Amino acid sequence: MRHYEIVFIVHPDQSEQVPQMVERYKGVIAGKNGTVHRLEDWGRRQLTYPIAKVHKAHYVLMNIECDNDTLTELEHSFKFSDAVLRHLIVKMDKAVTGPSPMMKEEKSKSMMERGGAPAEFAAEPGRAERPAA
């Protein structure tokens, strides 16, 4: 079986259906002895350019391990779903399980919003805080 990274974007009016869609796709993968290594819901984000007069969409990332038949079935369901605006499937060399750069960015943003500094900006013991730039 091969490893794949899948990103699909869903029409914002269908955002409530994303959990059911993900469960359906996970069921297709598990039904054919595949594995989901990573699943991230990036939420609603601004599109770089409008697609069908839509400016925001709901993003989902999946890293899976499956055979060619399962991948073909997933791609078919993406193509013929009215809710899925775009999808991208990339073959990977190995399973990816760590957080994606998008999730790392979200974590650092939430740290900054709460007033805390990310670990790389924390003051070292015995040193004064960093001067404002």
Side-chain angles (χ1 to χ4, degrees), residues 41-76:
D41 186 349
W42 293 345
R44 221 180 254 196
R45 297 186 163 274
Q46 183 78 28
L47 296 172
T48 304
Y49 57 89
I51 299 172
K53 298 183 181 177
V54 174
H55 297 279
K56 288 190 174 191
H58 197 104
Y59 284 73
V60 179
L61 168 79
M62 298 173 76
N63 281 85
I64 65 170
E65 181 179 358
C66 66
D67 60 2
N68 195 36
D69 293 337
T70 307
L71 188 69
T72 304
E73 188 174 338
L74 282 173
E75 190 168 17
H76 185 267

PDB file of all heavy atoms in Angstrom, residues 41-76:
ATOM      1  N   ASP A  41      -8.510  19.276  10.573  1.00  0.00           N
ATOM      2  CA  ASP A  41      -9.564  20.160  10.083  1.00  0.00           C
ATOM      3  C   ASP A  41      -9.057  21.585  10.256  1.00  0.00           C
ATOM      4  O   ASP A  41      -8.959  22.078  11.372  1.00  0.00           O
ATOM      5  CB  ASP A  41     -10.835  19.925  10.896  1.00  0.00           C
ATOM      6  CG  ASP A  41     -12.015  20.703  10.357  1.00  0.00           C
ATOM      7  OD1 ASP A  41     -11.816  21.588   9.493  1.00  0.00           O
ATOM      8  OD2 ASP A  41     -13.141  20.437  10.804  1.00  0.00           O
ATOM      9  N   TRP A  42      -8.708  22.236   9.151  1.00  0.00           N
ATOM     10  CA  TRP A  42      -8.153  23.581   9.211  1.00  0.00           C
ATOM     11  C   TRP A  42      -9.229  24.637   9.335  1.00  0.00           C
ATOM     12  O   TRP A  42      -8.928  25.815   9.533  1.00  0.00           O
ATOM     13  CB  TRP A  42      -7.297  23.862   7.982  1.00  0.00           C
ATOM     14  CG  TRP A  42      -6.057  23.036   7.901  1.00  0.00           C
ATOM     15  CD1 TRP A  42      -5.490  22.303   8.903  1.00  0.00           C
ATOM     16  CD2 TRP A  42      -5.227  22.860   6.759  1.00  0.00           C
ATOM     17  NE1 TRP A  42      -4.363  21.675   8.447  1.00  0.00           N
ATOM     18  CE2 TRP A  42      -4.173  22.008   7.127  1.00  0.00           C
ATOM     19  CE3 TRP A  42      -5.280  23.339   5.456  1.00  0.00           C
ATOM     20  CZ2 TRP A  42      -3.179  21.627   6.235  1.00  0.00           C
ATOM     21  CZ3 TRP A  42      -4.287  22.960   4.572  1.00  0.00           C
ATOM     22  CH2 TRP A  42      -3.246  22.108   4.968  1.00  0.00           C
ATOM     23  N   GLY A  43     -10.465  24.256   9.194  1.00  0.00           N
ATOM     24  CA  GLY A  43     -11.564  25.207   9.341  1.00  0.00           C
ATOM     25  C   GLY A  43     -11.757  26.066   8.104  1.00  0.00           C
ATOM     26  O   GLY A  43     -11.228  25.796   7.035  1.00  0.00           O
ATOM     27  N   ARG A  44     -12.526  27.123   8.299  1.00  0.00           N
ATOM     28  CA  ARG A  44     -12.851  28.033   7.199  1.00  0.00           C
ATOM     29  C   ARG A  44     -11.718  29.023   6.998  1.00  0.00           C
ATOM     30  O   ARG A  44     -11.272  29.670   7.935  1.00  0.00           O
ATOM     31  CB  ARG A  44     -14.126  28.787   7.548  1.00  0.00           C
ATOM     32  CG  ARG A  44     -15.055  28.940   6.387  1.00  0.00           C
ATOM     33  CD  ARG A  44     -16.276  29.675   6.802  1.00  0.00           C
ATOM     34  NE  ARG A  44     -17.371  28.723   6.900  1.00  0.00           N
ATOM     35  CZ  ARG A  44     -18.625  29.080   6.936  1.00  0.00           C
ATOM     36  NH1 ARG A  44     -18.951  30.347   6.945  1.00  0.00           N
ATOM     37  NH2 ARG A  44     -19.563  28.178   6.994  1.00  0.00           N
ATOM     38  N   ARG A  45     -11.262  29.134   5.755  1.00  0.00           N
ATOM     39  CA  ARG A  45     -10.159  30.034   5.420  1.00  0.00           C
ATOM     40  C   ARG A  45     -10.480  30.801   4.149  1.00  0.00           C
ATOM     41  O   ARG A  45     -11.249  30.360   3.315  1.00  0.00           O
ATOM     42  CB  ARG A  45      -8.866  29.249   5.196  1.00  0.00           C
ATOM     43  CG  ARG A  45      -8.405  28.533   6.429  1.00  0.00           C
ATOM     44  CD  ARG A  45      -7.065  27.894   6.183  1.00  0.00           C
ATOM     45  NE  ARG A  45      -6.448  27.560   7.437  1.00  0.00           N
ATOM     46  CZ  ARG A  45      -5.712  28.400   8.149  1.00  0.00           C
ATOM     47  NH1 ARG A  45      -5.475  29.607   7.744  1.00  0.00           N
ATOM     48  NH2 ARG A  45      -5.188  28.016   9.290  1.00  0.00           N
ATOM     49  N   GLN A  46      -9.821  31.942   4.032  1.00  0.00           N
ATOM     50  CA  GLN A  46      -9.945  32.781   2.837  1.00  0.00           C
ATOM     51  C   GLN A  46      -9.258  32.084   1.667  1.00  0.00           C
ATOM     52  O   GLN A  46      -8.146  31.579   1.805  1.00  0.00           O
ATOM     53  CB  GLN A  46      -9.282  34.141   3.104  1.00  0.00           C
ATOM     54  CG  GLN A  46      -9.397  35.129   1.983  1.00  0.00           C
ATOM     55  CD  GLN A  46     -10.755  35.777   1.934  1.00  0.00           C
ATOM     56  OE1 GLN A  46     -11.423  35.901   2.948  1.00  0.00           O
ATOM     57  NE2 GLN A  46     -11.172  36.159   0.743  1.00  0.00           N
ATOM     58  N   LEU A  47      -9.914  32.046   0.507  1.00  0.00           N
ATOM     59  CA  LEU A  47      -9.301  31.499  -0.695  1.00  0.00           C
ATOM     60  C   LEU A  47      -8.418  32.549  -1.346  1.00  0.00           C
ATOM     61  O   LEU A  47      -8.687  33.743  -1.242  1.00  0.00           O
ATOM     62  CB  LEU A  47     -10.381  31.065  -1.694  1.00  0.00           C
ATOM     63  CG  LEU A  47     -11.295  29.926  -1.266  1.00  0.00           C
ATOM     64  CD1 LEU A  47     -12.427  29.761  -2.268  1.00  0.00           C
ATOM     65  CD2 LEU A  47     -10.512  28.649  -1.145  1.00  0.00           C
ATOM     66  N   THR A  48      -7.377  32.119  -2.029  1.00  0.00           N
ATOM     67  CA  THR A  48      -6.492  33.045  -2.720  1.00  0.00           C
ATOM     68  C   THR A  48      -7.236  33.738  -3.859  1.00  0.00           C
ATOM     69  O   THR A  48      -7.048  34.910  -4.105  1.00  0.00           O
ATOM     70  CB  THR A  48      -5.274  32.292  -3.285  1.00  0.00           C
ATOM     71  OG1 THR A  48      -4.635  31.614  -2.209  1.00  0.00           O
ATOM     72  CG2 THR A  48      -4.294  33.246  -3.928  1.00  0.00           C
ATOM     73  N   TYR A  49      -8.072  32.990  -4.535  1.00  0.00           N
ATOM     74  CA  TYR A  49      -8.898  33.550  -5.607  1.00  0.00           C
ATOM     75  C   TYR A  49     -10.273  32.896  -5.509  1.00  0.00           C
ATOM     76  O   TYR A  49     -10.404  31.766  -5.036  1.00  0.00           O
ATOM     77  CB  TYR A  49      -8.262  33.304  -6.977  1.00  0.00           C
ATOM     78  CG  TYR A  49      -8.008  31.848  -7.288  1.00  0.00           C
ATOM     79  CD1 TYR A  49      -8.972  31.053  -7.907  1.00  0.00           C
ATOM     80  CD2 TYR A  49      -6.802  31.257  -6.945  1.00  0.00           C
ATOM     81  CE1 TYR A  49      -8.748  29.732  -8.173  1.00  0.00           C
ATOM     82  CE2 TYR A  49      -6.564  29.927  -7.203  1.00  0.00           C
ATOM     83  CZ  TYR A  49      -7.540  29.165  -7.831  1.00  0.00           C
ATOM     84  OH  TYR A  49      -7.311  27.845  -8.091  1.00  0.00           O
ATOM     85  N   PRO A  50     -11.314  33.589  -5.944  1.00  0.00           N
ATOM     86  CA  PRO A  50     -12.658  33.025  -5.834  1.00  0.00           C
ATOM     87  C   PRO A  50     -12.827  31.785  -6.724  1.00  0.00           C
ATOM     88  O   PRO A  50     -12.337  31.742  -7.844  1.00  0.00           O
ATOM     89  CB  PRO A  50     -13.575  34.143  -6.307  1.00  0.00           C
ATOM     90  CG  PRO A  50     -12.741  35.360  -6.409  1.00  0.00           C
ATOM     91  CD  PRO A  50     -11.320  34.952  -6.461  1.00  0.00           C
ATOM     92  N   ILE A  51     -13.540  30.812  -6.201  1.00  0.00           N
ATOM     93  CA  ILE A  51     -13.908  29.617  -6.959  1.00  0.00           C
ATOM     94  C   ILE A  51     -15.431  29.587  -6.982  1.00  0.00           C
ATOM     95  O   ILE A  51     -16.054  29.509  -5.930  1.00  0.00           O
ATOM     96  CB  ILE A  51     -13.364  28.336  -6.305  1.00  0.00           C
ATOM     97  CG1 ILE A  51     -11.834  28.376  -6.238  1.00  0.00           C
ATOM     98  CG2 ILE A  51     -13.840  27.101  -7.059  1.00  0.00           C
ATOM     99  CD1 ILE A  51     -11.221  27.245  -5.450  1.00  0.00           C
ATOM    100  N   ALA A  52     -16.017  29.688  -8.149  1.00  0.00           N
ATOM    101  CA  ALA A  52     -17.479  29.694  -8.311  1.00  0.00           C
ATOM    102  C   ALA A  52     -18.115  30.773  -7.435  1.00  0.00           C
ATOM    103  O   ALA A  52     -19.100  30.529  -6.744  1.00  0.00           O
ATOM    104  CB  ALA A  52     -18.066  28.319  -8.015  1.00  0.00           C
ATOM    105  N   LYS A  53     -17.509  31.957  -7.428  1.00  0.00           N
ATOM    106  CA  LYS A  53     -17.975  33.122  -6.672  1.00  0.00           C
ATOM    107  C   LYS A  53     -17.963  32.896  -5.159  1.00  0.00           C
ATOM    108  O   LYS A  53     -18.689  33.553  -4.419  1.00  0.00           O
ATOM    109  CB  LYS A  53     -19.361  33.551  -7.133  1.00  0.00           C
ATOM    110  CG  LYS A  53     -19.397  33.971  -8.584  1.00  0.00           C
ATOM    111  CD  LYS A  53     -20.765  34.445  -8.990  1.00  0.00           C
ATOM    112  CE  LYS A  53     -20.763  34.831 -10.454  1.00  0.00           C
ATOM    113  NZ  LYS A  53     -22.078  35.237 -10.911  1.00  0.00           N
ATOM    114  N   VAL A  54     -17.135  31.976  -4.697  1.00  0.00           N
ATOM    115  CA  VAL A  54     -16.989  31.697  -3.270  1.00  0.00           C
ATOM    116  C   VAL A  54     -15.620  32.222  -2.840  1.00  0.00           C
ATOM    117  O   VAL A  54     -14.617  31.970  -3.497  1.00  0.00           O
ATOM    118  CB  VAL A  54     -17.083  30.175  -2.997  1.00  0.00           C
ATOM    119  CG1 VAL A  54     -16.787  29.865  -1.552  1.00  0.00           C
ATOM    120  CG2 VAL A  54     -18.465  29.674  -3.385  1.00  0.00           C
ATOM    121  N   HIS A  55     -15.581  32.971  -1.732  1.00  0.00           N
ATOM    122  CA  HIS A  55     -14.336  33.588  -1.277  1.00  0.00           C
ATOM    123  C   HIS A  55     -13.723  32.884  -0.067  1.00  0.00           C
ATOM    124  O   HIS A  55     -12.559  33.097   0.246  1.00  0.00           O
ATOM    125  CB  HIS A  55     -14.570  35.064  -0.945  1.00  0.00           C
ATOM    126  CG  HIS A  55     -14.985  35.855  -2.147  1.00  0.00           C
ATOM    127  ND1 HIS A  55     -14.099  36.317  -3.074  1.00  0.00           N
ATOM    128  CD2 HIS A  55     -16.215  36.223  -2.588  1.00  0.00           C
ATOM    129  CE1 HIS A  55     -14.739  36.967  -4.028  1.00  0.00           C
ATOM    130  NE2 HIS A  55     -16.035  36.919  -3.753  1.00  0.00           N
ATOM    131  N   LYS A  56     -14.501  32.082   0.640  1.00  0.00           N
ATOM    132  CA  LYS A  56     -13.995  31.314   1.784  1.00  0.00           C
ATOM    133  C   LYS A  56     -14.415  29.865   1.600  1.00  0.00           C
ATOM    134  O   LYS A  56     -15.429  29.579   0.982  1.00  0.00           O
ATOM    135  CB  LYS A  56     -14.562  31.847   3.094  1.00  0.00           C
ATOM    136  CG  LYS A  56     -13.995  33.176   3.498  1.00  0.00           C
ATOM    137  CD  LYS A  56     -14.412  33.521   4.902  1.00  0.00           C
ATOM    138  CE  LYS A  56     -13.694  34.804   5.305  1.00  0.00           C
ATOM    139  NZ  LYS A  56     -13.835  35.055   6.722  1.00  0.00           N
ATOM    140  N   ALA A  57     -13.633  28.951   2.172  1.00  0.00           N
ATOM    141  CA  ALA A  57     -13.964  27.532   2.089  1.00  0.00           C
ATOM    142  C   ALA A  57     -13.413  26.815   3.318  1.00  0.00           C
ATOM    143  O   ALA A  57     -12.564  27.337   4.037  1.00  0.00           O
ATOM    144  CB  ALA A  57     -13.387  26.928   0.817  1.00  0.00           C
ATOM    145  N   HIS A  58     -13.905  25.619   3.543  1.00  0.00           N
ATOM    146  CA  HIS A  58     -13.516  24.795   4.688  1.00  0.00           C
ATOM    147  C   HIS A  58     -12.460  23.799   4.213  1.00  0.00           C
ATOM    148  O   HIS A  58     -12.691  23.040   3.280  1.00  0.00           O
ATOM    149  CB  HIS A  58     -14.750  24.049   5.212  1.00  0.00           C
ATOM    150  CG  HIS A  58     -14.577  23.519   6.573  1.00  0.00           C
ATOM    151  ND1 HIS A  58     -15.150  24.108   7.671  1.00  0.00           N
ATOM    152  CD2 HIS A  58     -13.884  22.462   7.040  1.00  0.00           C
ATOM    153  CE1 HIS A  58     -14.824  23.423   8.747  1.00  0.00           C
ATOM    154  NE2 HIS A  58     -14.054  22.416   8.377  1.00  0.00           N
ATOM    155  N   TYR A  59     -11.280  23.802   4.858  1.00  0.00           N
ATOM    156  CA  TYR A  59     -10.162  22.955   4.453  1.00  0.00           C
ATOM    157  C   TYR A  59     -10.019  21.738   5.361  1.00  0.00           C
ATOM    158  O   TYR A  59     -10.155  21.855   6.576  1.00  0.00           O
ATOM    159  CB  TYR A  59      -8.853  23.738   4.536  1.00  0.00           C
ATOM    160  CG  TYR A  59      -8.615  24.728   3.430  1.00  0.00           C
ATOM    161  CD1 TYR A  59      -9.327  25.929   3.375  1.00  0.00           C
ATOM    162  CD2 TYR A  59      -7.667  24.488   2.452  1.00  0.00           C
ATOM    163  CE1 TYR A  59      -9.094  26.852   2.370  1.00  0.00           C
ATOM    164  CE2 TYR A  59      -7.423  25.404   1.438  1.00  0.00           C
ATOM    165  CZ  TYR A  59      -8.137  26.581   1.402  1.00  0.00           C
ATOM    166  OH  TYR A  59      -7.900  27.479   0.412  1.00  0.00           O
ATOM    167  N   VAL A  60      -9.687  20.581   4.762  1.00  0.00           N
ATOM    168  CA  VAL A  60      -9.428  19.354   5.512  1.00  0.00           C
ATOM    169  C   VAL A  60      -8.190  18.679   4.918  1.00  0.00           C
ATOM    170  O   VAL A  60      -8.052  18.595   3.701  1.00  0.00           O
ATOM    171  CB  VAL A  60     -10.624  18.378   5.452  1.00  0.00           C
ATOM    172  CG1 VAL A  60     -10.326  17.096   6.203  1.00  0.00           C
ATOM    173  CG2 VAL A  60     -11.879  19.029   6.011  1.00  0.00           C
ATOM    174  N   LEU A  61      -7.293  18.217   5.794  1.00  0.00           N
ATOM    175  CA  LEU A  61      -6.082  17.500   5.384  1.00  0.00           C
ATOM    176  C   LEU A  61      -6.132  16.086   5.935  1.00  0.00           C
ATOM    177  O   LEU A  61      -6.472  15.885   7.107  1.00  0.00           O
ATOM    178  CB  LEU A  61      -4.835  18.202   5.939  1.00  0.00           C
ATOM    179  CG  LEU A  61      -3.531  17.424   5.844  1.00  0.00           C
ATOM    180  CD1 LEU A  61      -2.965  17.517   4.437  1.00  0.00           C
ATOM    181  CD2 LEU A  61      -2.518  17.944   6.837  1.00  0.00           C
ATOM    182  N   MET A  62      -5.800  15.114   5.089  1.00  0.00           N
ATOM    183  CA  MET A  62      -5.725  13.714   5.515  1.00  0.00           C
ATOM    184  C   MET A  62      -4.436  13.109   4.986  1.00  0.00           C
ATOM    185  O   MET A  62      -4.099  13.319   3.816  1.00  0.00           O
ATOM    186  CB  MET A  62      -6.900  12.895   4.948  1.00  0.00           C
ATOM    187  CG  MET A  62      -8.264  13.334   5.379  1.00  0.00           C
ATOM    188  SD  MET A  62      -9.569  12.443   4.523  1.00  0.00           S
ATOM    189  CE  MET A  62      -9.512  10.881   5.353  1.00  0.00           C
ATOM    190  N   ASN A  63      -3.711  12.375   5.823  1.00  0.00           N
ATOM    191  CA  ASN A  63      -2.596  11.552   5.373  1.00  0.00           C
ATOM    192  C   ASN A  63      -3.037  10.114   5.550  1.00  0.00           C
ATOM    193  O   ASN A  63      -3.371   9.697   6.668  1.00  0.00           O
ATOM    194  CB  ASN A  63      -1.330  11.826   6.177  1.00  0.00           C
ATOM    195  CG  ASN A  63      -0.648  13.074   5.714  1.00  0.00           C
ATOM    196  OD1 ASN A  63      -1.007  14.160   6.153  1.00  0.00           O
ATOM    197  ND2 ASN A  63       0.300  12.933   4.816  1.00  0.00           N
ATOM    198  N   ILE A  64      -3.059   9.376   4.445  1.00  0.00           N
ATOM    199  CA  ILE A  64      -3.603   8.023   4.475  1.00  0.00           C
ATOM    200  C   ILE A  64      -2.632   7.034   3.853  1.00  0.00           C
ATOM    201  O   ILE A  64      -1.689   7.410   3.149  1.00  0.00           O
ATOM    202  CB  ILE A  64      -4.966   7.949   3.742  1.00  0.00           C
ATOM    203  CG1 ILE A  64      -4.802   8.249   2.252  1.00  0.00           C
ATOM    204  CG2 ILE A  64      -5.971   8.891   4.381  1.00  0.00           C
ATOM    205  CD1 ILE A  64      -6.046   7.947   1.445  1.00  0.00           C
ATOM    206  N   GLU A  65      -2.901   5.765   4.118  1.00  0.00           N
ATOM    207  CA  GLU A  65      -2.197   4.663   3.482  1.00  0.00           C
ATOM    208  C   GLU A  65      -3.273   3.758   2.911  1.00  0.00           C
ATOM    209  O   GLU A  65      -4.153   3.285   3.650  1.00  0.00           O
ATOM    210  CB  GLU A  65      -1.356   3.921   4.517  1.00  0.00           C
ATOM    211  CG  GLU A  65      -0.572   2.767   3.965  1.00  0.00           C
ATOM    212  CD  GLU A  65       0.262   2.076   5.032  1.00  0.00           C
ATOM    213  OE1 GLU A  65       0.249   2.519   6.191  1.00  0.00           O
ATOM    214  OE2 GLU A  65       0.914   1.082   4.681  1.00  0.00           O
ATOM    215  N   CYS A  66      -3.248   3.554   1.593  1.00  0.00           N
ATOM    216  CA  CYS A  66      -4.292   2.748   0.969  1.00  0.00           C
ATOM    217  C   CYS A  66      -3.797   2.182  -0.358  1.00  0.00           C
ATOM    218  O   CYS A  66      -2.722   2.533  -0.834  1.00  0.00           O
ATOM    219  CB  CYS A  66      -5.561   3.565   0.763  1.00  0.00           C
ATOM    220  SG  CYS A  66      -5.393   4.899  -0.425  1.00  0.00           S
ATOM    221  N   ASP A  67      -4.619   1.315  -0.958  1.00  0.00           N
ATOM    222  CA  ASP A  67      -4.287   0.772  -2.265  1.00  0.00           C
ATOM    223  C   ASP A  67      -4.900   1.649  -3.363  1.00  0.00           C
ATOM    224  O   ASP A  67      -5.609   2.612  -3.078  1.00  0.00           O
ATOM    225  CB  ASP A  67      -4.755  -0.678  -2.382  1.00  0.00           C
ATOM    226  CG  ASP A  67      -6.255  -0.836  -2.196  1.00  0.00           C
ATOM    227  OD1 ASP A  67      -6.944   0.182  -2.005  1.00  0.00           O
ATOM    228  OD2 ASP A  67      -6.732  -1.980  -2.236  1.00  0.00           O
ATOM    229  N   ASN A  68      -4.614   1.296  -4.603  1.00  0.00           N
ATOM    230  CA  ASN A  68      -5.044   2.107  -5.741  1.00  0.00           C
ATOM    231  C   ASN A  68      -6.569   2.129  -5.894  1.00  0.00           C
ATOM    232  O   ASN A  68      -7.144   3.153  -6.261  1.00  0.00           O
ATOM    233  CB  ASN A  68      -4.385   1.599  -7.028  1.00  0.00           C
ATOM    234  CG  ASN A  68      -4.503   2.592  -8.144  1.00  0.00           C
ATOM    235  OD1 ASN A  68      -4.440   3.798  -7.922  1.00  0.00           O
ATOM    236  ND2 ASN A  68      -4.690   2.095  -9.355  1.00  0.00           N
ATOM    237  N   ASP A  69      -7.242   1.003  -5.614  1.00  0.00           N
ATOM    238  CA  ASP A  69      -8.701   0.955  -5.748  1.00  0.00           C
ATOM    239  C   ASP A  69      -9.377   1.923  -4.780  1.00  0.00           C
ATOM    240  O   ASP A  69     -10.329   2.615  -5.137  1.00  0.00           O
ATOM    241  CB  ASP A  69      -9.223  -0.467  -5.494  1.00  0.00           C
ATOM    242  CG  ASP A  69      -8.784  -1.434  -6.582  1.00  0.00           C
ATOM    243  OD1 ASP A  69      -8.479  -0.974  -7.702  1.00  0.00           O
ATOM    244  OD2 ASP A  69      -8.746  -2.653  -6.307  1.00  0.00           O
ATOM    245  N   THR A  70      -8.879   1.972  -3.553  1.00  0.00           N
ATOM    246  CA  THR A  70      -9.435   2.881  -2.547  1.00  0.00           C
ATOM    247  C   THR A  70      -9.218   4.328  -2.964  1.00  0.00           C
ATOM    248  O   THR A  70     -10.120   5.159  -2.852  1.00  0.00           O
ATOM    249  CB  THR A  70      -8.781   2.635  -1.176  1.00  0.00           C
ATOM    250  OG1 THR A  70      -8.877   1.255  -0.859  1.00  0.00           O
ATOM    251  CG2 THR A  70      -9.444   3.459  -0.096  1.00  0.00           C
ATOM    252  N   LEU A  71      -8.024   4.627  -3.448  1.00  0.00           N
ATOM    253  CA  LEU A  71      -7.719   5.981  -3.893  1.00  0.00           C
ATOM    254  C   LEU A  71      -8.630   6.394  -5.049  1.00  0.00           C
ATOM    255  O   LEU A  71      -9.139   7.515  -5.080  1.00  0.00           O
ATOM    256  CB  LEU A  71      -6.255   6.092  -4.304  1.00  0.00           C
ATOM    257  CG  LEU A  71      -5.785   7.503  -4.610  1.00  0.00           C
ATOM    258  CD1 LEU A  71      -5.758   8.332  -3.327  1.00  0.00           C
ATOM    259  CD2 LEU A  71      -4.424   7.490  -5.256  1.00  0.00           C
ATOM    260  N   THR A  72      -8.869   5.481  -5.971  1.00  0.00           N
ATOM    261  CA  THR A  72      -9.757   5.765  -7.100  1.00  0.00           C
ATOM    262  C   THR A  72     -11.173   6.038  -6.607  1.00  0.00           C
ATOM    263  O   THR A  72     -11.836   6.964  -7.088  1.00  0.00           O
ATOM    264  CB  THR A  72      -9.759   4.580  -8.085  1.00  0.00           C
ATOM    265  OG1 THR A  72      -8.420   4.327  -8.492  1.00  0.00           O
ATOM    266  CG2 THR A  72     -10.622   4.870  -9.296  1.00  0.00           C
ATOM    267  N   GLU A  73     -11.628   5.272  -5.634  1.00  0.00           N
ATOM    268  CA  GLU A  73     -12.969   5.472  -5.077  1.00  0.00           C
ATOM    269  C   GLU A  73     -13.078   6.820  -4.358  1.00  0.00           C
ATOM    270  O   GLU A  73     -14.072   7.535  -4.503  1.00  0.00           O
ATOM    271  CB  GLU A  73     -13.297   4.334  -4.113  1.00  0.00           C
ATOM    272  CG  GLU A  73     -14.721   4.354  -3.628  1.00  0.00           C
ATOM    273  CD  GLU A  73     -15.057   3.130  -2.789  1.00  0.00           C
ATOM    274  OE1 GLU A  73     -14.378   2.098  -2.916  1.00  0.00           O
ATOM    275  OE2 GLU A  73     -16.015   3.238  -1.996  1.00  0.00           O
ATOM    276  N   LEU A  74     -12.038   7.187  -3.596  1.00  0.00           N
ATOM    277  CA  LEU A  74     -12.030   8.490  -2.919  1.00  0.00           C
ATOM    278  C   LEU A  74     -12.052   9.624  -3.940  1.00  0.00           C
ATOM    279  O   LEU A  74     -12.814  10.578  -3.806  1.00  0.00           O
ATOM    280  CB  LEU A  74     -10.803   8.631  -2.027  1.00  0.00           C
ATOM    281  CG  LEU A  74     -10.827   7.929  -0.687  1.00  0.00           C
ATOM    282  CD1 LEU A  74      -9.466   8.034  -0.022  1.00  0.00           C
ATOM    283  CD2 LEU A  74     -11.904   8.493   0.193  1.00  0.00           C
ATOM    284  N   GLU A  75     -11.201   9.518  -4.963  1.00  0.00           N
ATOM    285  CA  GLU A  75     -11.140  10.561  -5.985  1.00  0.00           C
ATOM    286  C   GLU A  75     -12.480  10.692  -6.706  1.00  0.00           C
ATOM    287  O   GLU A  75     -12.933  11.801  -6.992  1.00  0.00           O
ATOM    288  CB  GLU A  75     -10.018  10.258  -6.974  1.00  0.00           C
ATOM    289  CG  GLU A  75      -9.735  11.399  -7.899  1.00  0.00           C
ATOM    290  CD  GLU A  75      -8.446  11.217  -8.664  1.00  0.00           C
ATOM    291  OE1 GLU A  75      -7.926  10.086  -8.739  1.00  0.00           O
ATOM    292  OE2 GLU A  75      -7.963  12.232  -9.187  1.00  0.00           O
ATOM    293  N   HIS A  76     -13.124   9.579  -6.963  1.00  0.00           N
ATOM    294  CA  HIS A  76     -14.449   9.596  -7.609  1.00  0.00           C
ATOM    295  C   HIS A  76     -15.462  10.316  -6.722  1.00  0.00           C
ATOM    296  O   HIS A  76     -16.265  11.124  -7.209  1.00  0.00           O
ATOM    297  CB  HIS A  76     -14.894   8.160  -7.879  1.00  0.00           C
ATOM    298  CG  HIS A  76     -16.168   8.066  -8.628  1.00  0.00           C
ATOM    299  ND1 HIS A  76     -17.381   7.956  -8.003  1.00  0.00           N
ATOM    300  CD2 HIS A  76     -16.420   8.074  -9.960  1.00  0.00           C
ATOM    301  CE1 HIS A  76     -18.341   7.893  -8.907  1.00  0.00           C
ATOM    302  NE2 HIS A  76     -17.775   7.965 -10.114  1.00  0.00           N
TER     303      HIS A  76
END
